[in-house]
Amino acid sequence: MDDRHFMRQALKLAGMGVGNTSPNPMVGALVVDASGAVVGRGYHERAGSDHAEVVALREAGDRARGATLYLTLEPCVHQGQTPPCAPVIAKAGIKRVVCAMEDPDPRVRGRGLAYLREHGMEVVTGMEADRAQHLNRMYIHHRTTGRPYVTLKMAQSLDGAVAVRPGERRQLSGPRAMRFVRSLRYEHDAVMVGSGTVRTDDPRLTVRPYRRRAVSYRRIVVDARCAVDLRAQVFKDQKRAQTIVATTEQMPAEVASALTSRSVQVLSCRATPQGRVDLVDLLTKLGSMNILSVLCEGGPTLAAAMLEAGLVCTIHLIVAPLFIPDADAVRVLAPGPVDIGLAWDKVARLGEDLVITGRPHAVSEGSLDTPARDSE
Ligand SMILES: [Zn+2]
């Protein structure tokens, strides 16, 4: 029974808050007494509810005196929706604190751990830091850049096509890959598509299970030219998931008011020289609305623009086991000036489909083929 073992348990607890804690981080806490017995457990359930350490210390009661507290994230020292946690830890008589990582929120950044040290506790940091950072990658990205973490999901054939011809709908992914996509939606604060996808696929983009979700879910349609049909599915059911149309000043006032009357939020963004929505401006606005993460579900134009702007943190490329050799086939990425490289994270099989996960980066032209390879 060592620190690593208990920290992994605390991380597991933290993960139970997935989909519900935004704009707060997921946090888990474990109180372990001198004999090595777990006497308190807690996790942050949803924004506004008690923080993990407070829940765990309440369960431990007097047994917290002289015990070790395992925390997946530095405790807060500022008054939020709930009182600060560091003084609660000191008052409980905790002797030693093992923490996975500092809180990157500007209001904390080391102050919580300093408070514990000043109050005579032994503090160990960095335990299972990689796992803790991965768990809260969206929160960390938001607090350090001010913009949401963007996950790009794409589905294609083996030869990189998404449809036989423009405007045609093609269901490529199998049921297991679709379940994976639904679980991705659940992990994110918002889903984003371009107006072309609304026209072609007319998706609902809702999240399930809806009732279990504490955080309101947003559907974002990027539409510079107000090309979407107001009867589209994405504009229905605003009580279950609010829709935001990201557009430019070119949107006619009558279209904007028609959207607003359907409870759809209109977000006017800067336009690029080509008249598209400036995605950096859009994401900065979404970040200031406390949207920590966005799942971008395409299509080819939006995906390419996101990648070219360097805004994508993770890609999940779902590859279906078929070729679409049609001459007019639509490629998964719209033509663009930048080559995109991918640092592999994982390749997995989901039913009949393959899911490739990686982190994208721009590469200069031609350099995709330069890394040394074994003879092929
Ligand atoms: Zn706290």
Side-chain angles (χ1 to χ4, degrees), residues 99-241:
C99 186
M101 61 175 284
E102 259 190 28
D103 187 343
D105 188 293
R107 295 166 298 183
V108 191
R109 286 198 186 153
R111 290 188 199 93
L113 296 174
Y115 182 99
L116 302 179
R117 287 196 181 97
E118 283 156 19
H119 285 75
M121 277 165 267
E122 182 196 339
V123 177
V124 179
T125 51
M127 180 60 59
E128 294 292 87
D130 287 354
R131 285 172 193 240
Q133 280 160 9
H134 182 73
L135 179 79
N136 274 318
R137 60 194 183 283
M138 295 160 181
Y139 170 78
I140 295 167
H141 185 85
H142 178 260
R143 290 307 195 274
T144 50
T145 67
R147 293 193 294 263
Y149 184 100
V150 176
T151 303
L152 176 61
K153 176 240 119 185
M154 299 184 287
Q156 65 163 51
S157 66
L158 285 165
D159 49 349
V162 294
V164 175
R165 57 189 62 83
E168 190 156 292
R169 188 183 175 176
R170 183 76 186 245
Q171 178 61 42
L172 287 172
S173 310
R176 283 197 58 191
M178 294 302 288
R179 273 207 297 282
F180 170 67
V181 172
R182 283 199 291 273
S183 74
L184 280 179
R185 283 187 194 164
Y186 194 81
E187 287 172 25
H188 289 75
D189 286 351
V191 63
M192 181 185 282
V193 294
S195 51
T197 297
V198 173
R199 271 202 311 278
T200 309
D201 296 349
D202 195 17
R204 297 174 64 85
L205 299 174
T206 46
V207 66
R208 282 179 279 177
Y210 164 70
R211 269 184 304 277
R212 236 171 52 201
R213 235 189 126 80
V215 182
S216 66
Y217 189 71
R218 265 82 155 235
R219 302 176 283 184
I220 301 160
V221 180
V222 182
D223 182 23
R225 296 184 180 82
C226 50
V228 288
D229 186 336
L230 292 174
R231 290 165 301 180
Q233 294 291 336
V234 74
F235 298 127
K236 293 178 180 155
D237 236 353
Q238 292 301 309
K239 280 196 193 95
R240 278 185 65 167

Side-chain angles (χ1 to χ4, degrees), residues 31-35 37 39-40 56-69 87-96 121:
V31 183
V32 179
D33 73 10
S35 74
V39 293
L57 289 169
R58 190 185 300 135
E59 186 189 321
D62 285 344
R63 288 171 297 177
R65 213 147 282 282
T68 298
L69 173 66
V88 178
I89 298 168
K91 207 181 268 176
I94 288 289
K95 191 178 164 194
R96 181 168 175 262
M121 277 165 267

Side-chain angles (χ1 to χ4, degrees), residues 6-15 27-30 70-72:
F6 290 124
M7 185 57 81
R8 286 195 183 173
Q9 281 192 44
L11 283 163
K12 232 180 232 168
L13 282 167
V27 187
L30 208 66
Y70 292 86
L71 261 181
T72 62

Side-chain angles (χ1 to χ4, degrees), residues 250-263:
Q250 292 164 15
M251 175 175 274
E254 64 269 21
V255 178
S257 65
L259 286 168
T260 327
S261 71
R262 285 168 167 77
S263 305

Side-chain angles (χ1 to χ4, degrees), residues 51-54 74-77 82-86:
H51 290 185
E53 48 273 61
V54 171
E74 175 180 15
C76 63
V77 276
T82 55
C85 293

